[in-house]
Amino acid sequence: VGRSFQGEEKVNEQGKPAGFWEARTGWGRLKEFLLLEPLPGGARWAAAFGSLLLFVFLLQIVTGILLTLNYAPAEKTAYSSVKFIQEEVSYGWFIRSVHHWGSSAMVILLLFHLVQVFVWGAYKRPREFTWMIGVLLLMCTLGLAFTGYLLPWDQKAYWATKVGLGILGTVPEVGDGMRTVLQGGPEIGNLTLTRFFTLHGFVLPGLIILLVVVHMYLFRLHGVTPGWWQSPAQLKAREQPFWPYQAWKDGVLALLFLVGLGVWCYYQHAPLEAQADPSQSYDARPEWYFMFLFQLLRYFHGPYEIIGTFVLPLVFFLILFFWPFLDRSPHRNPFRRPIAMSLLVLGTMGLVGLTTFAIVTDVKMHEPEIAQKKEEAKPIAGPIQRLDVAKLYSDHCVACHGVDGTGKLIRPGMPTIPDFTSLAWQMSQTDLEIVHRIRDGYEPLMPAFKEKLQPSQHIALAIYVRAFAIEHVGEPGAIAAVTPPVTTVPPATKEVQPKTEVKPKEPTKTEGIVVATPVASSMPVAELYRAYCLACHDLDGRGTIIRKAMPEIPNFTDAKWQTAKTDPELLHSILEGKGKFMLPMKAKVNKDDAGRLLAYIRDFKEGKQVVKVEPKELAVPPPRSEPAVVPAPAPAPGAPAPAAPAPTTAARPTPATPLQPQVAEDNAGRIRVAAVYFKQYCLNCHGIDGRGTEIRPAMPMIPDFKQSAWQEAHTNAQLAASVLDGKGTLMPAFRGRLDESQVQDLIAYVRAFGPTTLAQAKKPPSSEFEGQFQQLQREWETLQKQLNEIGPKKDK
Amino acid sequence: MSLLALLVLVPGVAYFLGPLFRRSGSSAMGDSTGHFLDAGPLTEFAVGEWRLVNVELVRQNGWEKSRVQRSIWVNRQREPADSFFVLSPICPHLGCPVNFRQDQRRFVCPCHGGTFDTKGTLISGPPPRGMDSLQYEVRANRLWIKWQDFKVGVKEQLPVTV
């Protein structure tokens, strides 16, 4: 069949028959047209900047498409997806950095190209339209820069865009409408993101491609502008084809640029600030190449504002656009164009000067980046509101404790995490204890928030935590027999309305608390990791389990992550915390220990290391001689002792108890400490309700502390022996971890699970300990009642 | 040919300019715009002290309703009792959030340097008018504030309907 077409066979210029592709596509001619363009005067480095600009644009398209793969333009997702790109996606940080810095590079190169063309006089007849298309390309690029700035949806993005749109809104007559259309509504939101994304990803790049094609066409039509110093004969003599001479120069320049940009991006990651928050104040700044405009706006006040926002930029644009028709002198030699050149120098000086002045005088630009990112405990401006506390909770607690407060997501990694909805847990905690744990943390994993949050916020959070139990009122709890049922606590106590209750007396409340001293230095590094990092970061350092709740968690085995993070950066993260979830550990580990942890984390690289976990080691740092939680406001001599557990009771006069206050105080403290020990050592098997239900299938011998039969069959001495020396094959010995008196307290706690409390109360106390314990119960009831009484008053 | 172009362009342009045509009325249901919002009990506000109060609005945000937070500058007055200065923190220049500078006893916009006195009146800088005051009510010993956006960059105080 092919032969019948032989007559039509194309021939190339040398008269030889064309090849397969040539015959079908005319590729050779295209190649010739595209590549063999003769350049009068030969290849020049100076001519390579235009094509470099094209190269950068292509680079932006490629990186832009890659970013789009992982980007979701909506208010709820934009920031998280960019953070995901930055911190999770492999090489995401690099691609984003190239796109971010590439945009700056493109603006710089564009301006350079513009100045070059201006000096060369390359806009003069017949190349006026090439220039004008170029000016339009400049506008489109600035449009890309503006629309792209919003997409990460961080604070900088939001406020810069707000101001930018504000500027647009000042345009007479149509400004408001343009702003509304761009914004997709009366204020910045979801529709602004989708519109900006469409403009940034489709409309403007499409327009640029179109304009570039026209620009190139005109450029080829008129040819390279020859140097003004060369005569036509000289030009002709040194003529070279584009390929390979100019192409080689273009390629080398592009390569140099790419390497430079790559190195820059490697060391200077694209910034990402906190998520956009319209209610947080922020010093809005545009990207540096808009700073001249920003500075300009400071000089036009009141009704003259429009001059800075609209008139000057418009005049500037019009002059630039129509410049080829304004400057009609035929000379291209810069020395024969004094007016044009002085305008150029003035304009450049004006722009550079304004930009430099704005950046140098602007305080905001000098703040070290790390200081901006650091989350500080901000002074609360107004009364704490429920939604503030809800936000606090979702910012600081949700990752581990879950939205529902059950902590079930993280429990596989952190068996000791409490279930806030459990009445048993609620009853085992005093308000003061909860506040204390929020403030100072709780070994081994609960971090301290005293640096991140204010005292009133600690208390507000504690009340929020209390509120989780409301829906679970009526569930049988372990200590319910000891204390009044929680139903008597009116909901008002638990609603987050700490405004009236909380603020005034916080300093006195926290002073009495013995702060847990760090024990980290005495632990081997593996143990350190187990105690502080394991629950989230996992045995293998990958953080797989928790990632569902905490998408930002890094993978320590990832070589890219390891190389991306410098030692000081990681040390800072360990000590000061990072982002929402990585919590500061400086209260628990000192710099040296953090250094040891860092070295340990480095060893995870490429999965070389897995932490070995033996269950008993997973427990906790060794017990202290002092209990971790001791509410100990020393009562002034003679004065009635403050009833410690409920923070709000501290300032109220307490009804005198029948006991010596000092002793009661001590006992209340002890039983709470016992609750702590129970949770540390016993909870895993015996369960929060003491019934051991969960583990019984595996461990049929485990007792049910609630059964009166079991309670009656064992004496305290027997129980003490079991606790200290272990029992059977599975009950471990706790000698060395608990001392005798702690064991006694623990037994009292275990006894409290039993149904015999009421009967016991009627019986005369059979031992000194039981007598003490009953007094303790009464003490507790009183305290609980006081707490309840306070509840309703808060509302008034 | 031009008919073809027209047939494509008209609905296309109308689609693009959509936001212009739905300026009000679209947000009738469930929006807290136009309602007074609880800003806390009066006891929380010390007389003569500027404080930033957060309120929460529900707004139609494209395809969903969003809770948005707004902060508002509030200052309780001694005379007459239970009267307040309630100022929107949005700078009337171009919309930056204005801070109260305790050391200078005035409001300063961090962007283009506009300054306002303790009543929100313009002292210096580029803003075309003073800070916008918001309506408030005192109900049952609590302060209630109505949030309102205003057009920035113009001398007149023009409410923006959301």
Side-chain angles (χ1 to χ4, degrees):
Chain A
V1 180
R3 286 176 188 277
S4 62
F5 287 98
Q6 234 168 13
E8 296 175 39
E9 189 87 35
K10 295 273 193 297
V11 288
N12 64 14
E13 302 211 330
Q14 284 81 41
K16 291 180 195 152
F20 177 88
W21 292 106
E22 174 60 25
R24 283 157 185 81
T25 61
W27 153 248
R29 281 148 198 265
L30 184 67
K31 191 171 73 180
E32 205 168 283
F33 172 73
L34 285 179
L35 297 178
L36 298 181
E37 178 205 10
L39 303 172
R44 285 198 310 260
W45 284 110
F49 283 93
S51 44
L52 180 59
L53 206 44
L54 190 62
F55 172 76
V56 183
F57 178 61
L58 293 177
L59 193 66
Q60 292 297 91
I61 291 190
V62 172
T63 49
I65 290 174
L66 291 174
L67 291 175
T68 313
L69 292 179
N70 289 304
Y71 178 72
E75 221 181 277
K76 282 181 186 147
T77 54
Y79 181 77
S80 346
S81 59
V82 172
K83 207 165 167 73
F84 174 72
I85 291 171
Q86 188 82 2
E87 291 180 2
E88 295 290 326
V89 179
S90 53
Y91 288 92
W93 60 274
F94 187 71
I95 299 296
R96 179 163 177 263
S97 295
V98 170
H99 197 73
H100 175 89
W101 296 118
S103 75
S104 283
M106 197 165 155
V107 172
I108 295 178
L109 286 172
L110 241 171
L111 294 177
F112 186 83
H113 187 58
L114 186 94
V115 170
Q116 195 190 18
V117 167
F118 191 94
V119 174
W120 232 257
Y123 54 86
K124 293 188 180 244
R125 208 164 74 102
R127 298 187 177 84
E128 294 97 333
F129 287 155
T130 324
W131 168 272
M132 291 164 94
I133 298 287
V135 173
L136 291 182
L137 277 167
L138 173 68
M139 294 303 140
C140 286
T141 308
L142 293 180
L144 271 183
F146 179 66
T147 49
Y149 209 61
L150 175 72
L151 301 182
W153 198 249
D154 58 358
Q155 280 284 71
K156 193 161 89 168
Y158 178 87
W159 288 106
T161 305
K162 189 161 170 95
V163 175
L165 289 170
I167 292 174
L168 191 67
T170 61
V171 174
E173 304 303 325
V174 291
D176 237 5
M178 277 159 60
R179 180 188 167 150
T180 311
V181 169
L182 264 187
Q183 249 175 201
E187 60 179 359
I188 298 178
N190 275 325
L191 297 180
T192 320
L193 269 170
T194 51
R195 281 182 175 239
F196 272 47
F197 180 65
T198 313
L199 287 174
H200 186 80
F202 300 91
V203 179
L204 288 170
L207 206 58
I208 287 187
I209 291 171
L210 204 73
L211 289 171
V212 163
V213 168
V214 178
H215 198 66
M216 297 293 287
Y217 161 77
L218 291 171
F219 165 73
R220 289 296 305 273
L221 186 70
H222 302 302
V224 181
T225 317
W228 62 85
W229 61 91
Q230 289 159 312
S231 69
Q234 278 174 320
L235 291 172
K236 191 74 194 161
R238 298 184 55 186
E239 187 174 286
Q240 280 176 324
F242 176 80
W243 182 270
Y245 303 100
Q246 185 67 42
W248 187 78
K249 287 190 159 65
D250 289 358
V252 168
L253 199 64
L255 189 70
L256 283 176
F257 171 83
L258 192 63
V259 170
L261 184 67
V263 171
W264 174 269
C265 290
Y266 185 82
Y267 289 105
Q268 196 73 47
H269 297 187
L272 184 62
E273 297 189 356
Q275 185 166 4
D277 183 351
S279 71
Q280 284 290 328
S281 74
Y282 184 80
D283 297 355
R285 293 292 178 272
E287 191 63 347
W288 64 266
Y289 37 78
F290 288 123
M291 279 302 272
F292 75 94
L293 188 59
F294 174 85
Q295 188 65 25
L296 202 60
L297 295 181
R298 290 171 171 253
Y299 301 130
F300 294 98
H301 293 187
Y304 304 108
E305 180 192 341
I306 185 94
I307 297 177
T309 55
F310 176 63
V311 177
L312 275 183
L314 183 72
V315 166
F316 184 75
F317 167 77
L318 287 179
I319 291 180
L320 201 64
F321 190 68
F322 290 109
W323 181 250
F325 296 103
L326 296 175
D327 175 22
R328 311 186 68 145
S329 104
H331 300 292
R332 287 197 285 108
N333 184 346
F335 298 104
R336 301 186 63 176
R337 299 187 287 144
I339 299 173
M341 281 303 121
S342 40
L343 272 179
L344 174 73
V345 171
L346 277 178
T348 315
M349 273 171 50
L351 281 189
V352 174
L354 272 177
T355 306
T356 322
F357 184 71
I359 291 172
V360 170
T361 55
D362 191 358
V363 191
K364 163 87 172 154
M365 292 284 181
H366 299 292
E367 277 173 33
E369 208 167 300
I370 201 112
Q372 284 174 32
K373 281 183 184 170
K374 193 173 160 191
E375 285 180 37
E376 279 166 11
K378 297 179 195 86
I380 308 163
I384 298 181
Q385 293 186 345
R386 188 185 167 81
L387 70 104
D388 297 335
V389 187
K391 187 168 181 335
L392 275 184
Y393 182 84
S394 71
D395 282 355
H396 299 289
C397 321
V398 153
C400 292
H401 292 288
V403 276
D404 55 357
T406 57
K408 62 186 172 210
L409 248 175
I410 207 175
R411 191 160 290 114
M414 201 192 286
T416 51
I417 196 164
D419 178 354
F420 295 155
T421 62
S422 143
L423 200 56
W425 181 83
Q426 290 282 356
M427 297 317 296
S428 71
Q429 305 291 316
T430 62
D431 292 356
L432 182 61
E433 242 171 17
I434 298 179
V435 171
H436 165 64
R437 286 185 186 177
I438 294 169
R439 180 181 176 270
D440 295 315
Y442 182 54
E443 302 290 336
L445 287 162
M446 173 75 186
F449 284 93
K450 58 172 171 262
E451 306 282 339
K452 280 200 169 184
L453 303 175
Q454 294 194 322
S456 57
Q457 291 176 312
H458 301 149
I459 298 168
L461 271 176
I463 295 167
Y464 193 81
V465 164
R466 284 293 195 210
F468 279 112
I470 294 177
E471 290 158 33
H472 296 260
V473 165
E475 270 183 23
I479 329 284
V482 183
T483 45
V486 81
T487 32
T488 61
V489 181
T493 329
K494 304 171 165 192
E495 287 297 336
V496 181
Q497 290 187 337
K499 296 159 219 166
T500 49
E501 166 223 0
V502 149
K503 296 211 95 180
K505 324 139 187 161
E506 68 233 6
T508 53
K509 268 173 288 174
T510 42
E511 272 162 18
I513 292 166
V514 176
V515 178
T517 45
V519 290
S521 316
S522 60
M523 292 154 78
V525 65
E527 204 176 312
L528 265 182
Y529 182 85
R530 279 198 295 270
Y532 297 117
C533 322
L534 179 86
C536 292
H537 290 288
D538 260 352
L539 300 178
D540 54 4
R542 290 177 200 270
T544 326
I545 298 176
I546 205 77
R547 188 158 291 116
K548 270 178 248 144
M550 215 187 270
E552 291 99 345
I553 196 166
N555 178 356
F556 293 157
T557 64
D558 182 358
K560 183 218 89 193
W561 181 86
Q562 289 278 5
T563 41
K565 304 286 172 185
T566 62
D567 284 359
E569 237 179 304
L570 291 179
L571 270 182
H572 187 269
S573 301
I574 293 172
L575 291 171
E576 308 289 342
K578 187 179 181 216
K580 271 186 187 175
F581 296 134
M582 175 71 193
L583 293 149
M585 296 291 169
K586 66 180 168 210
K588 312 197 177 210
V589 300
N590 59 25
K591 278 214 176 87
D592 295 339
D593 295 325
R596 289 195 291 146
L597 269 178
L598 172 62
Y600 195 73
I601 286 163
R602 288 292 189 206
D603 286 342
F604 278 111
K605 193 167 173 181
E606 273 144 15
K608 280 179 207 147
Q609 168 179 281
V610 171
V611 184
K612 286 168 202 72
V613 177
E614 295 140 44
K616 63 170 187 182
E617 278 183 305
L618 192 122
V620 272
R624 291 164 261 269
S625 50
E626 282 290 305
V629 185
V630 180
T648 43
T649 56
R652 293 162 49 83
T654 354
T657 52
L659 302 162
Q660 303 95 317
Q662 191 66 61
V663 174
E665 182 55 44
D666 186 40
N667 284 343
R670 278 174 64 192
I671 196 115
R672 280 195 298 279
V673 172
V676 170
Y677 284 127
F678 184 84
K679 278 193 283 290
Q680 281 187 3
Y681 296 122
C682 320
L683 180 92
N684 273 352
C685 293
H686 291 288
I688 191 79
D689 57 357
R691 307 194 70 150
T693 332
E694 281 183 29
I695 209 158
R696 187 159 293 110
M699 212 188 274
M701 297 297 289
I702 197 161
D704 178 352
F705 295 157
K706 290 209 156 181
Q707 280 180 357
S708 50
W710 181 85
Q711 290 277 4
E712 281 158 20
H714 294 81
T715 64
N716 284 349
Q718 277 174 328
L719 292 183
S722 300
V723 172
L724 283 170
D725 298 316
K727 192 178 179 208
T729 49
L730 292 166
M731 172 77 184
F734 287 91
R735 196 181 287 282
R737 289 197 242 184
L738 294 169
D739 63 29
E740 298 271 345
S741 73
Q742 286 165 340
V743 169
Q744 288 304 326
D745 293 348
L746 202 50
I747 290 169
Y749 190 84
V750 167
R751 288 294 190 202
F753 285 110
T756 55
T757 354
L758 289 174
Q760 263 183 16
K762 284 171 205 155
K763 275 188 276 177
S766 59
S767 71
E768 191 203 344
F769 175 78
E770 278 169 32
Q772 222 178 40
F773 181 64
Q774 280 171 28
Q775 275 175 341
L776 204 58
Q777 275 174 259
R778 284 197 292 274
E779 173 75 3
W780 238 13
E781 283 169 30
T782 328
L783 293 176
Q784 200 65 43
K785 271 180 204 148
Q786 283 169 4
L787 176 66
N788 297 345
E789 281 162 17
I790 299 155
K793 281 174 197 152
K794 272 178 240 162
D795 223 13
K796 284 165 195 169
Chain B
M1 207 54 164
S2 46
L3 181 72
L4 266 180
L6 210 65
L7 279 177
V8 177
L9 272 180
V10 167
V13 169
Y15 178 90
F16 179 68
L17 298 182
L20 283 180
F21 311 128
R22 25 184 309 153
R23 310 229 29 188
S24 56
S26 64
S27 57
M29 287 202 309
D31 268 17
S32 39
T33 315
H35 297 281
F36 283 91
L37 305 159
D38 186 7
L42 294 187
T43 49
E44 283 304 311
F45 302 98
V47 170
E49 184 187 308
W50 281 105
R51 142 175 288 181
L52 205 55
V53 180
N54 281 343
V55 295
E56 195 182 60
L57 303 160
V58 178
R59 283 204 165 161
Q60 191 65 39
N61 184 5
W63 52 88
E64 63 186 353
K65 284 212 192 321
S66 295
R67 290 163 181 277
V68 290
Q69 289 203 36
R70 290 284 181 270
S71 40
I72 300 168
W73 286 110
V74 174
N75 188 348
R76 188 176 189 175
Q77 298 301 294
R78 190 172 302 282
E79 287 293 324
D82 288 352
S83 71
F84 286 83
F85 279 123
V86 179
L87 298 176
S88 162
I90 302 294
C91 179
H93 180 222
L94 291 170
C96 288
V98 178
N99 291 326
F100 183 69
R101 297 286 296 266
Q102 197 65 46
D103 49 338
Q104 305 173 15
R105 296 297 301 162
R106 56 182 185 167
F107 288 96
V108 178
C109 175
C111 289
H112 305 98
T115 55
F116 309 87
D117 70 9
T118 48
K119 292 186 170 105
T121 322
L122 181 67
I123 301 175
S124 67
R129 62 170 191 266
M131 290 167 75
D132 302 308
S133 53
L134 301 175
Q135 290 180 45
Y136 69 91
E137 274 180 12
V138 175
R139 298 182 198 157
N141 277 327
R142 297 180 80 86
L143 179 65
W144 294 73
I145 302 176
K146 185 153 120 184
W147 175 264
Q148 177 66 55
D149 289 292
F150 296 96
K151 184 166 157 51
V152 298
V154 291
K155 192 161 173 51
E156 309 78 47
Q157 196 191 53
L158 303 172
V160 176
T161 36
V162 175

